[in-house]
Structures are given as structure tokens and as C-alpha cells.
Amino acid sequence: MRYNQRMRILGIESSADDSGVALIEASGTFGSDFRFTVTANEVASQQHAEYGGIYPNLAKNEHIKNLPLLLEKVLPSDEQPDIIAVTVGPGIEPCLWTGITFAQKLAAKWDIPVVGVNHLEGHIVMSMMEGEKLAPLELPVLSLLISGGNTQLVLSKEALRYEIIGKTRDDAAGEAFDKVGRMLGLPYPSGAEISRLAAEARRENLAADFKLPRPMLSEDNFEFSFSGLKTAALRIIEKETVTDELKKKISRELEEAIADVLVGKTLLAVEEYGVSTVVTGGGVAANTFIRQRLAEALAKSGAKLLVCPPALSTDNALMIALAGYFHALKKEFTEPDTLTAQGNLRLDA
Ligand code: KG4
């Protein structure tokens, strides 16, 4: 196999509570000649709503059950891909191991190489796509990663190289949504529901008579801290009866506080590093309000925002296949036996 030709990549994702298997065909380099088509992209999302969070062992067992079923849907016949791309981190290690073990077995069966992929790079690369091509990018690219486990600002002075310029000191943006959601008795994960309630509050002109903090917004750095938001929300909830109206008010104020901080810090980094292309990805990037606020603010400062469709912002294996392809081009394969789950894998590792 020559890796500069059309390649069929099987992507496997199991870092948290979504199991994903995808098959793509890709060709070209990381540039204007890159093209891909999606043959299949299957995700099975687990139901952790009743537990208000992810239970690693439960999630692991679900992945063990889901991955073979998804593979059957993605590759119904005996055809085989050219390479396998599997998430090796960051994430929940028992969950990551299920995907890795699955990839190892398939690689042995088909005798094909494996690329270990950083889940966060998957989110970034996914948002860089425009249809079945790579969107035009100008270096340095700034990536705002906002998910349930991570909130980071990352600078790429070269393609597919990452320097973390700031991250959260405690909770991730998604965690703030989920933890406040739990206090309000909303299902887990709560981001989408809070966003829906916030939109209702705006439509009904329901403004809060309290203010949540905008943590670290006035500090001249790229660090985040979201844990204070849940404490502040708790103080309000403890004083008042949690009516539907209060839920909407808190949702609106929470979404606006998080948006203010994300937009403010992103603009600061855009100015500091002279950035004209900003990429955002991760589950929270599915939030319509945050996307709009970011796009508007960046447009004013002359930068362009790249973001993928909301359905592809949350965890999926298509993004893993895409990132894996670019590493396969550089022949960055890992001996299947030496693949290891790295719960805290960094983008600059
Ligand atoms: O990237 P993701 O699917 O999983 C990882 O954390 O890796 O992100 C999940 C997070 C959850 O915290 C969820 O509440 C949040 O993304 N989320 C949203 C929305 N959709 C998902 N947060 C805000 N608004 C949304 N529409």
C-alpha cells in the first residue's frame, strides 16, 4: 500500500460515553488537494441521564457491546479498510482501552496498520472541513476546544502542531453546563437543554435579577475557570424555589456568562497572536448561541470562524478517521501491541 493514494480509513472512538465507528475514503495532502467522502459514520450514545454523569465501568461495558454492532453497520461485507485510526486519549481510560483492544484485533485480522489519534485533534480537524474538503486556513490557526472534559485555547503555527496557550484550571465549559443542569434537575448531559431553556428565556424576555460571574474574563491571560459558576448558581437556587421560570433565567444567565468568557478570551488570543483563522470544536461548540456570539465577535475583528455542523461537534469516529488520515500520510503508525490508553494525553505531547 502506498499512503499517498486514495485511502480507506476506519475510525474508532470510545473516549467517553459515545461509541463511534466510521469509514471514510480520503486522498490528497493537508491542503487544497485534500478530498474525502464519508461511507458511514455511526454513533451510539449511552444513556447516563439517570446517573447524572458517566460511570466508567458501565460506559466500558456499553462500548464493548456497541463497537462490534456499529462495525457491522459500517462494514457490512467482508471488505477491509487500508488503515485503522483509533482514539488513544484523552478520556476515560477503561473506555479508551475498549476502542484500542477492538482496533488491535481488527488490525491483526486484516493485517493493516493503526494510527493512534488524539481525540482533541479529531475535534479540531473536524471543524476545519468544509463539505468534503479542507477549508482555506491561514496560519497561525487558533483552536478553541470546548467540551465536557476540556476547555483550551490552542495555537498552531504549523499545520497539525499544537501549542496550548491556556486552559481551564478546574471545570470545563461543558462541565459547568452539566453541573448546573444537575442542580436544576435537568437530564445529563445538560448543555443542549440549558441552551433550549435559555433561548426560551430570551424569547419571553425573561431577564435574571441576578448576575453570575464571568470568571477570569478581566485577567490578561488565556486561562479559564468555570467551577465558580456552579457555586454561584447554587447560591441562587438555595435561596429560591426552583420554578420553570427560575430554570430559564439561570439557563440564560449561565449561557451568557460562559459565552462572554469564551468570546473574550478568544478575542484576546486573536489580537495577541495576529490570528485570522479560528477553529472551534467539542460538544459545547454545538451551542447555537455561543457559535453566533463567537462568529459575530470574530467577524468584527477580521477573523474567520470555522466550526462543523452541530451534529459533528459532539464525539464521533469520523473526526478520528480524518485526523488519522493526516498522520498516516506522515507514516505515523503505532505498532498495534504498543497502543496505550492515555487518559490525560495532551495536544502538545
Ligand atoms: O465533546 P463531547 O461530546 O464529549 C466530551 O466531553 O469529550 O462534549 C460533551 C459536552 C457535555 O458537557 C454537554 O453538556 C455539552 O458538550 N454540550 C453542549 C451542547 N451540546 C452538548 N453544551 C452547550 N450547548 C449545547 N448545545
Side-chain angles (χ1 to χ4, degrees), residues 76-142:
S77 58
D78 271 346
E79 285 172 72
Q80 68 172 66
D82 301 309
I83 61 165
I84 296 173
V86 61
T87 306
V88 292
I92 302 167
E93 287 193 357
C95 295
L96 290 163
W97 273 118
T98 62
I100 291 174
T101 313
F102 191 60
Q104 286 168 330
K105 284 193 190 134
L106 294 173
K109 175 173 139 193
W110 291 323
D111 191 22
I112 57 173
V114 180
V115 186
V117 174
N118 183 312
H119 178 88
L120 300 177
E121 184 173 40
H123 280 305
I124 293 177
V125 167
M126 187 73 247
S127 287
M128 288 178 166
M129 298 299 144
E130 199 172 73
E132 299 182 332
K133 296 189 288 196
L134 194 63
L137 304 167
E138 229 177 282
L139 293 168
V141 170
L142 178 73

Side-chain angles (χ1 to χ4, degrees), residues 239-284:
K239 272 193 298 199
E240 299 190 39
T241 329
V242 181
T243 57
D244 284 349
E245 189 175 303
L246 185 69
K247 284 185 192 175
K248 287 183 202 171
K249 285 181 180 171
I250 291 181
S251 295
R252 176 178 181 177
E253 179 59 15
L254 178 71
E255 190 174 55
E256 291 179 3
I258 292 175
D260 283 348
V261 173
L262 295 174
V263 169
K265 293 285 178 173
T266 304
L267 285 180
L268 194 66
V270 161
E271 279 165 31
E272 171 81 20
Y273 295 100
V275 169
S276 58
T277 308
V278 177
V279 174
T280 188
V284 179

Side-chain angles (χ1 to χ4, degrees), residues 15-18 119 123 146-150 173-175 177-178 188-192 195 255 282-288 290 313-315:
S15 63
D17 56 345
D18 297 308
H119 178 88
H123 280 305
I146 37 179
S147 71
N150 290 276
E175 254 174 307
F177 278 111
D178 297 336
Y188 174 89
S190 314
S195 180
E255 190 174 55
V284 179
N287 183 292
T288 318
I290 293 175
S313 294
T314 48
D315 294 349

Side-chain angles (χ1 to χ4, degrees), residues 50-104:
E50 52 191 305
Y51 308 105
I54 302 175
Y55 272 73
N57 278 324
L58 197 75
K60 181 186 93 174
N61 290 335
E62 287 292 305
H63 288 306
I64 292 173
K65 198 174 72 191
N66 288 336
L67 290 174
L69 297 175
L70 296 177
L71 180 70
E72 261 177 51
K73 285 198 200 169
V74 167
L75 266 186
S77 58
D78 271 346
E79 285 172 72
Q80 68 172 66
D82 301 309
I83 61 165
I84 296 173
V86 61
T87 306
V88 292
I92 302 167
E93 287 193 357
C95 295
L96 290 163
W97 273 118
T98 62
I100 291 174
T101 313
F102 191 60
Q104 286 168 330

Side-chain angles (χ1 to χ4, degrees), residues 7-45:
M7 254 191 262
R8 281 159 50 93
I9 307 106
L10 184 77
I12 299 172
E13 157 65 30
S14 68
S15 63
D17 56 345
D18 297 308
S19 323
V21 179
L23 183 67
I24 65 168
E25 280 193 43
S27 61
T29 59
F30 189 85
S32 57
D33 62 336
F34 175 69
R35 293 288 181 281
F36 75 103
T37 53
V38 182
T39 313
N41 180 29
E42 294 287 335
V43 179
S45 295

